[in-house]
Amino acid sequence: MSLMVLALVLSACSSSPVSPSATLNQYLADWSHDDYRAMAALVSHPPKDFVALNRRVAGDLDLGRAAYQVNAVTSTGSRATASLTSHLTLGSFGPWVVHTRLQLVESAGIWRVAWTPRSIIAQLGPGDTVATTVTWPARAAILGAGGAALTTDAPMVSVGVEGSRVTDASALTAALMQAGATANQVSAALTTAKAHPTWFVPVLQVTQAAYTLLKPIIYPVPGTVFNTFSARTPVTAGLSAHIVGTLGPITAQELKSLGSPYQGTDTIGQTGIEGAYERQLAGQPGGSIAITSASGAAVATVATFNAHPGTPVQTTIDPTVQQAAESALAGVTNPAALVAVQASTGSVLASVSLPGNQAVDNALVGAYPPGSTFKVITAADLIEHGLSPSSPATCPPTITVDGESFHNFEGEAQSSLSLQQAFAASCNTAFIGMSNALANPSFTTTAAQFGIGAKVQLGLDAFGGKVPAPTSDAERAATAIGQAQVLVSPLDLANVAASVDSGSLRSPRLVTGSADDSVPAQSLDPTVVSDLRTMMTAVVDSPSGTAANAGLPPGTLGKTGTAEFGTANPPQTDAWFIGYRGDLAFAVLVVGGGVGGAVAAPIAAKFLQAAGVIP
């Protein structure tokens, strides 16, 4: 507790040969420093619990700072009275001004404090206690595009156990684990239930809809009990873990970090925006301070405080587009992600990361090799250096650079073709051969033109990508096809597609008011943009395009990617597809999913069909 003393103003009128001011000043100085033992030495006949009582009251008030002001001192003979104003700052409520009187007595020329609990709070009598009630305001909203609410109060069911009803602990454990509880959760609950057989011991919480599905499994098992309640829940399941986030009981570590006004029984934001913007959303609690007698009877309410509601957090998420993205990934069992961006503004309209119970957000934070989707960047670099979609190229089955052999993923080969055809067919060897003349640093600088490598500040943690300049010929060859040390997030590649769509690089936007909101758009070379659009069209529309059979709606432009990772032989591959249709740009990733054109592009087709075209 950090305390200070205001300047003391003493006004005394006494015939006593000594003044009480020295004792009074020292007592208040010790009080300001939370030195209750030193205070006790200045008290006439202090009670045995003096130190404990003062410490307990300070704790009950959640006292943070205190300053004491002496308004006046009046004395008659051996007795004096000081009127005090205590300027207190309480962790839960903020400033509180308390007016009290402090009695002093003189004996043999020494003044001491005639202490009672009323010296702390006027209404606090012997044996009384201070009871602080903290009431939080309704949590502020998290909003999406157009002010749409991203959360709702949904019916929930708390699934628990009651020890007196348990007949078969093994069957109960199996049923609860089948419902989604962990072995540790069930074990801990059963231990508590055994010690307190009449208690309701919660194990897990599920939505009412989930409970309806689970009811045949858990309801018939003796020992299970259920409580219904309402809880704040994201409007779509995919928003729960990573974007909107979740609420949960405060942990000891979080309580230490957040400090006042939080208490050990509070529920706070744990992940996503709920966690990152906890104080903004929660607001400031109100409540009251009351005096309670030893018997528990109410003595007096000495102060009330108004709550101050939090401020909503505005985002760019469009619930309709978000739902389309989630439905497109339904049934995908591998880790996966889909990010959708409005190209004309940079607004993130949807972001989905699977699995939803994974702490890491694959969509915004995940770092993956982009594979052939990076050929958008390499092609832009080649065009800047004088090539065009019609520039000639060759596509041999393999190419060796600096002793390292590179091949085309599906064994394609063609002796004569154009840059556009090589792009559409995603010929690795053609791009490696054509990029041979590019300076190593140009990969980094060209990627930066499309936002890869930037520090992303959109309101939640995000990975902006990394494209180190190659340090050898073999590394340059691998970089040209999105391997080597190149790493991106799905957000990065959605923004690349958005940049081609709009013709300008815009920093992605998610939470309104974040630093990237004020970053101006940067126009791209119109020739580069035009040529990239032509080649991305060919990926979908030409018979040899790698996404020709993915079922993408007319007017879709894109680029597939099949990115190798790991040390297996043959290596595993991530499946990518990036692109845009209308004003809607996107990136789809399925980790370990295989071939981009066969796996990721059909997911994109489902997404676009569900979302429609953003005008």
Side-chain angles (χ1 to χ4, degrees):
M1 179 167 59
S2 175
L3 305 172
M4 64 179 182
V5 185
L6 291 177
L8 304 182
V9 180
L10 302 183
S11 173
C13 178
S14 172
S15 60
S16 174
V18 293
S19 167
S21 62
T23 297
L24 181 58
N25 286 345
Q26 186 60 53
Y27 182 86
L28 296 181
D30 293 338
W31 199 2
S32 300
H33 290 90
D34 198 19
D35 192 344
Y36 302 125
R37 295 190 183 282
M39 291 165 62
L42 299 173
V43 172
S44 175
H45 303 100
K48 292 181 179 180
D49 64 345
F50 178 88
V51 172
L53 190 151
N54 276 272
R55 185 172 290 136
R56 183 174 65 250
V57 171
D60 291 340
L61 292 175
D62 193 13
L63 183 61
R65 295 194 304 270
Y68 302 97
Q69 178 180 346
V70 179
N71 302 313
V73 178
T74 59
S75 59
T76 303
S78 62
R79 304 192 69 84
T81 300
S83 63
L84 306 178
T85 299
S86 303
H87 298 272
L88 311 180
T89 301
L90 310 183
S92 297
F93 306 125
W96 183 37
V97 176
V98 180
H99 300 285
T100 56
R101 295 181 182 276
L102 194 65
Q103 307 294 329
L104 297 99
V105 294
E106 181 263 334
S107 176
I110 299 174
W111 285 93
R112 295 187 182 278
V113 174
W115 184 88
T116 74
R118 299 186 191 280
S119 304
I120 307 173
I121 300 173
Q123 298 90 335
L124 185 66
D128 293 346
T129 58
V130 175
T132 301
T133 301
V134 178
T135 305
W136 287 90
R139 196 171 180 86
I142 300 175
L143 304 174
L150 296 185
T151 63
T152 184
D153 287 332
M156 302 285 290
V157 177
S158 179
V159 179
V161 297
E162 185 177 315
S164 63
R165 301 183 183 187
V166 176
T167 58
D168 187 336
S170 296
L172 179 60
T173 298
L176 290 172
M177 290 181 64
Q178 190 175 351
T182 66
N184 288 339
Q185 286 177 316
V186 179
S187 176
L190 287 175
T191 299
T192 302
K194 185 176 181 179
H196 304 279
T198 62
W199 286 13
F200 170 81
V201 183
V203 179
L204 76 161
Q205 297 176 355
V206 297
T207 64
Q208 182 68 53
Y211 170 71
T212 301
L213 296 175
L214 294 171
K215 185 175 179 179
I217 300 171
I218 54 179
Y219 187 82
V221 181
T224 57
V225 285
F226 311 91
N227 282 338
T228 59
F229 63 100
S230 181
R232 174 166 159 135
T233 306
V235 294
T236 68
L239 287 172
S240 178
H242 303 114
I243 299 298
V244 167
T246 56
L247 299 171
I250 193 169
T251 66
Q253 183 177 357
E254 290 166 339
L255 183 60
K256 182 178 180 180
S257 174
L258 287 168
S260 298
Y262 291 89
Q263 301 177 344
T265 56
D266 287 336
T267 296
I268 66 167
Q270 295 292 341
T271 60
I273 291 170
E274 294 279 24
Y277 294 83
E278 163 60 29
R279 289 191 178 275
Q280 176 178 335
L281 292 165
Q284 182 72 20
S288 63
I289 299 172
I291 306 299
T292 304
S293 70
S295 65
V299 174
T301 297
V302 297
T304 57
F305 303 88
N306 294 326
H308 299 283
T311 305
V313 173
Q314 178 67 57
T315 78
T316 59
I317 295 293
D318 184 316
T320 300
V321 181
Q322 176 72 23
Q323 184 60 60
E326 293 180 27
S327 64
L329 286 174
V332 175
T333 56
N334 290 46
L338 196 160
V339 177
V341 173
Q342 188 173 36
S344 59
T345 64
S347 298
V348 177
L349 302 179
S351 179
V352 186
S353 175
L354 299 179
N357 60 0
Q358 176 180 283
V360 175
D361 183 352
N362 294 327
L364 302 186
V365 181
Y368 303 94
S372 290
T373 59
F374 193 74
K375 288 171 184 169
V376 172
I377 306 301
T378 305
D381 203 349
L382 292 170
I383 294 166
E384 288 180 348
H385 287 82
L387 273 63
S388 70
S390 61
S391 295
T394 61
C395 181
T398 61
I399 187 171
T400 300
V401 179
D402 200 19
E404 186 170 341
S405 180
F406 297 86
H407 65 280
N408 296 318
F409 187 77
E410 296 186 75
E412 62 269 24
Q414 194 168 340
S415 59
S416 177
L417 73 172
S418 65
L419 172 59
Q420 175 174 316
Q421 290 171 323
F423 186 92
S426 202
C427 178
N428 288 340
T429 57
F431 270 79
I432 290 171
M434 287 185 290
S435 64
N436 183 54
L438 296 176
N440 288 348
S442 69
F443 290 100
T444 304
T445 56
T446 303
Q449 295 175 30
F450 292 83
I452 300 178
K455 180 181 180 181
V456 180
Q457 302 177 88
L458 47 56
L460 289 177
D461 289 340
F463 176 58
K466 181 179 72 171
V467 185
T471 58
S472 68
D473 290 344
E475 195 169 84
R476 182 183 65 243
T479 298
I481 58 173
Q483 299 286 169
Q485 303 302 311
V486 181
L487 293 173
V488 296
S489 66
L491 173 67
D492 291 327
L493 291 186
N495 205 42
V496 168
S499 299
V500 178
D501 187 1
S502 69
S504 296
L505 170 63
R506 290 175 171 82
S507 296
R509 302 171 58 243
L510 177 60
V511 178
T512 300
S514 298
D516 280 351
D517 284 4
S518 58
V519 176
Q522 301 175 32
S523 297
L524 299 173
D525 184 323
T527 300
V528 171
V529 170
S530 177
D531 288 349
L532 288 176
R533 290 172 178 169
T534 297
M535 293 191 292
M536 291 174 71
T537 298
V539 171
V540 178
D541 290 352
S542 70
S544 60
T546 51
N549 299 314
L552 291 157
T556 305
L557 291 76
K559 182 67 188 81
T560 60
T562 303
E564 297 181 349
F565 70 94
T567 58
N569 187 17
Q572 292 179 276
T573 58
D574 295 335
W576 284 98
F577 186 70
I578 71 170
Y580 65 90
R581 183 177 186 240
D583 197 23
L584 184 63
F586 56 85
V588 177
L589 165 68
V590 180
V591 179
V595 180
V599 176
I603 292 173
K606 293 179 183 178
F607 165 64
L608 291 173
Q609 289 161 359
V613 177
I614 304 299

